[in-house]
Each structure stands twice: as structure tokens, then as C-alpha cells.
Amino acid sequence: LYTAPDSCEGRCGEPFSEEDECHCHTECERDHNCCEDHERHCGPDGFSSSRDSITDQELLELSEQLYGVDHNKARPSDVAINPQHRAGPDETGDKQDRSPQPLYKYVNEELFSKPTYASFIKLLDNYQRATGREEEVTAEELREQDRFLEEVMKTELMKKLFAFLQEKNRYGSEQEFVQDLKEMWFGLYSRGDGERDSSGFEHVFSGEVKKGKVSGFHNWIRFYLLEKQGVVNYFSHNFDGPWDTYPDVLGLQFSWDGFYKEVGSAFIGCSPEFEFGLYSLCFLARPGRACHLSLGGHRLSVQTYPWTKSTYGSGRRFIATAYVLSP
């Protein structure tokens, strides 16, 4: 269901990468490996001029800037975690609980009264986690989506992201950007047999259960709230990032009401707008591929995939998943 993008839209002149299934770099015609629409987008009269492509260096620089303006992130005194057992490669899949204590020792819940956190948390109970069951979206839930987007767009972080994307001719106005965020993240599509049972936001931040396994579920706030209720059981971690402040990155094993997640990577202690903004950037700049970033001087990568079975607008893709890669 997930494939690398087969289009040069927004990719003209980007560096060659073996990860790509087709190419848009300047020598692709000579190498006979261009995407089919290379001429349409990247030719002299193309839709996607090379000056609008997003370079690897720009991603490194912008991600550091976004990291620096995450003013709503947790301070070191706001969160205390207890990672306990570090699982080896042969242990992540065996469903053994090797950590008797919860992952979170303490979270300062005053964080959750900040507008972006409060509006984010309101969204988490809007979904049925089982795929194959149609999502019913009420007028109140639509208002909650709008409120969340309204609150994140007030932050310096999202304003900086929008300014960058506008400069790259991806969006002409903030209104256009917000409307596209709403579609790509909250637009419904079918992971099952035709029922509109899923969205990017539900999958990534709230989590789903598919074929008896946890699918998605990459958010630290969601994890903390469900662990506090006793419905999430932390088992172990297979990766703990090099950061000595927040946001940090963990790769973790856990069960949710008995359904298992073998590796659930997550940023720990970041604001909702940081995660939402970083994943949106990577989805727009490197859909279907590893998006290489830098946070606090440390390299990391985010993987996104577009949903390929349905589109919105003029052929735009919904987000299928987005997560930070843990080595």
C-alpha cells in the first residue's frame, strides 16, 4: 500500500538518491531513469522549477531552526521517564514485558493546558481504533480539527515552516496551507474494504489496531495518557536518542489493551506543533523516502508514506504514516 513517489512534482534538480524509484536530478535523462512526468515538471516550461526544490542542506538547516523555536516543548523538569530494559534485535518481537515499571515516572500536566496541547488532546478520542469501521465525524469534531490548526498556526514554529514553504512556491497563502494540512492529515480514506476508516492523524498520533497488531501510534502524549489509565503497558525500548534534553527519541515495545507494537518510535517531550510540523515538512519534501534532519546538532531521519489508493484536490495524496526512524 505504500510506495515511493513516482512523480517529479516539487523534486526537480534534487540530488540523486538510490532510495528513489524514479529520478528528477539534472542527469536523469542521460541516465534514462527519470520519472515519467520529468519533462512536464522539470522541462524549460515545466510546472516545478528547480529553484523550488528543497535541498538536503535546507532540510538540515530548517529542522534545526524549528527545533530552536519549539517554545512549548517540555523542560527537563517537566518529564521524567524510566526506560528500564533495552531490548536487543532478537527481543523486540517476542512480546515479553521486561520492564516492571511504567515508562513515565512523572509528567507536569500543566503542559497540557497550553493551547496547542489542549486542542491536540481533544482530538485523540475522536477515533475508533479498529480499521474496517467507518469513522463518523461530527460537527464538534470538525470544530476541534479547526481549533487545533488555528492554535498551531499561532506558533513561531509553524509560521516559520509556512514562510519556508511559501518561499518555495508550495503555497500562495496561509489559508491555502492550512486547508491542505487539514486535507492531508484529517481527510478520511479506507485501509479496509471501502469504509472511510482512517486518516493520517488517527494513524500517526492516536493509533490504530489492524490484524491484531498496533498500527501507527507514535505520540508521547497519547502514550502517557493511556499508560496513566492502565491500558498501555510498556515492555522495553530498543533505541534511546543522544539528546540530553527534549525532544528526545525512543524506540519502544508496548501493548495496548493486549495488542502489541514491536517498535513504536516517538519523539518524547516535544510540543504537538513540533511533531506535526516536522512530519508535514518531510511529507511535502520527501514523501515515501527518508527525510534527513538535524536536531540540536544530532542527525536523525523521518520516514513518511503517502496513501496511494485515493487522492484529494487535484491529485494530492493523504498521509498514510509518518514516524521518526530509530536505528
Side-chain angles (χ1 to χ4, degrees):
L1 297 181
Y2 302 155
T3 60
D6 53 4
S7 168
C8 280
E9 184 178 359
R11 294 176 54 202
C12 300
E14 74 176 20
F16 173 82
S17 169
E18 288 183 0
E19 295 171 5
D20 300 341
E21 76 176 38
C22 65
H23 304 279
C24 310
H25 61 292
T26 47
E27 280 80 42
C28 72
E29 288 183 331
R30 184 198 69 197
D31 299 342
H32 307 294
N33 57 13
C34 296
C35 299
E36 284 183 16
D37 63 2
H38 177 262
E39 181 61 28
R40 186 161 69 90
H41 282 289
C42 308
D45 303 313
F47 295 106
S48 304
S49 67
S50 59
R51 71 173 182 275
D52 297 335
S53 67
I54 297 172
T55 68
D56 289 351
Q57 186 60 33
E58 284 171 327
L59 285 172
L60 295 173
E61 290 168 5
L62 180 61
S63 53
E64 281 289 4
Q65 291 169 16
L66 298 180
Y67 180 77
V69 297
D70 186 13
H71 304 308
N72 287 325
K73 69 186 175 191
R75 295 162 309 198
S77 59
D78 287 330
V79 178
I81 59 173
N82 182 18
Q84 301 164 81
H85 183 77
R86 182 156 188 163
D90 56 337
E91 294 177 328
T92 57
D94 65 8
K95 304 184 185 180
Q96 296 296 310
D97 182 358
R98 295 182 167 87
S99 302
Q101 303 300 317
L103 175 61
Y104 287 93
K105 289 197 283 194
Y106 170 75
V107 170
N108 176 9
E109 293 194 10
E110 285 181 19
L111 277 174
F112 301 161
S113 62
K114 291 176 183 260
T116 57
Y117 285 81
S119 57
F120 174 81
I121 288 167
K122 275 195 182 312
L123 294 167
L124 295 174
D125 64 358
N126 290 353
Y127 301 102
Q128 303 184 61
R129 68 182 180 187
T131 56
R133 293 174 64 184
E134 182 99 17
E135 292 291 346
E136 308 258 341
V137 184
T138 66
E140 175 64 22
E141 288 171 354
L142 287 172
R143 281 194 294 273
E144 288 173 358
Q145 292 172 10
D146 289 337
R147 171 56 57 85
F148 172 69
L149 291 167
E150 192 182 302
E151 293 299 345
V152 298
M153 286 309 299
K154 291 176 185 174
T155 65
E156 186 182 350
L157 188 152
M158 289 297 286
K159 286 189 183 301
K160 189 175 281 290
L161 174 60
F162 165 66
F164 174 82
L165 293 169
Q166 186 180 38
E167 197 179 284
K168 292 291 183 181
N169 292 317
R170 301 303 172 97
Y171 299 101
S173 67
E174 190 172 304
Q175 183 183 3
E176 185 191 345
F177 178 46
V178 171
Q179 188 56 40
D180 198 37
L181 287 172
K182 187 171 183 178
E183 291 285 356
M184 74 171 76
W185 279 106
F186 295 104
L188 293 172
Y189 50 81
S190 174
R191 286 185 196 262
D193 301 316
E195 310 87 351
R196 296 201 315 153
D197 61 350
S198 188
S199 69
F201 187 92
E202 177 186 5
H203 181 84
V204 173
F205 294 106
S206 184
E208 299 180 293
V209 170
K210 185 174 184 182
K211 296 181 179 173
K213 291 182 178 178
V214 176
S215 182
F217 196 146
H218 297 286
N219 180 254
W220 76 274
I221 300 165
R222 174 73 161 162
F223 191 102
Y224 166 75
L225 292 171
L226 291 181
E227 186 177 61
K228 187 180 170 188
Q229 290 172 27
V231 294
V232 158
N233 180 17
Y234 170 71
F235 282 15
S236 56
H237 70 285
N238 63 302
F239 174 74
D240 188 354
W243 295 270
D244 54 12
T245 184
Y246 297 115
D248 199 350
V249 177
L250 268 187
L252 41 154
Q253 291 70 51
F254 61 92
S255 74
W256 177 18
D257 265 350
F259 299 104
Y260 188 61
K261 181 75 175 179
E262 189 169 323
V263 179
S265 59
F267 287 107
I268 309 291
C270 66
S271 68
E273 61 267 27
F274 177 82
E275 213 169 351
F276 188 73
L278 217 58
Y279 290 159
S280 299
L281 168 65
C282 284
F283 181 69
L284 292 165
R286 300 288 186 270
R289 293 167 293 150
C291 173
H292 304 302
L293 309 173
S294 178
L295 303 182
H298 297 289
R299 297 292 182 98
L300 82 164
S301 301
V302 162
Q303 178 73 48
T304 65
Y305 287 104
W307 187 255
T308 59
K309 291 189 162 187
S310 52
T311 60
Y312 66 89
S314 52
R316 294 189 178 217
R317 303 283 190 189
F318 300 104
I319 289 176
T321 192
Y323 52 91
V324 58
L325 290 169
S326 53

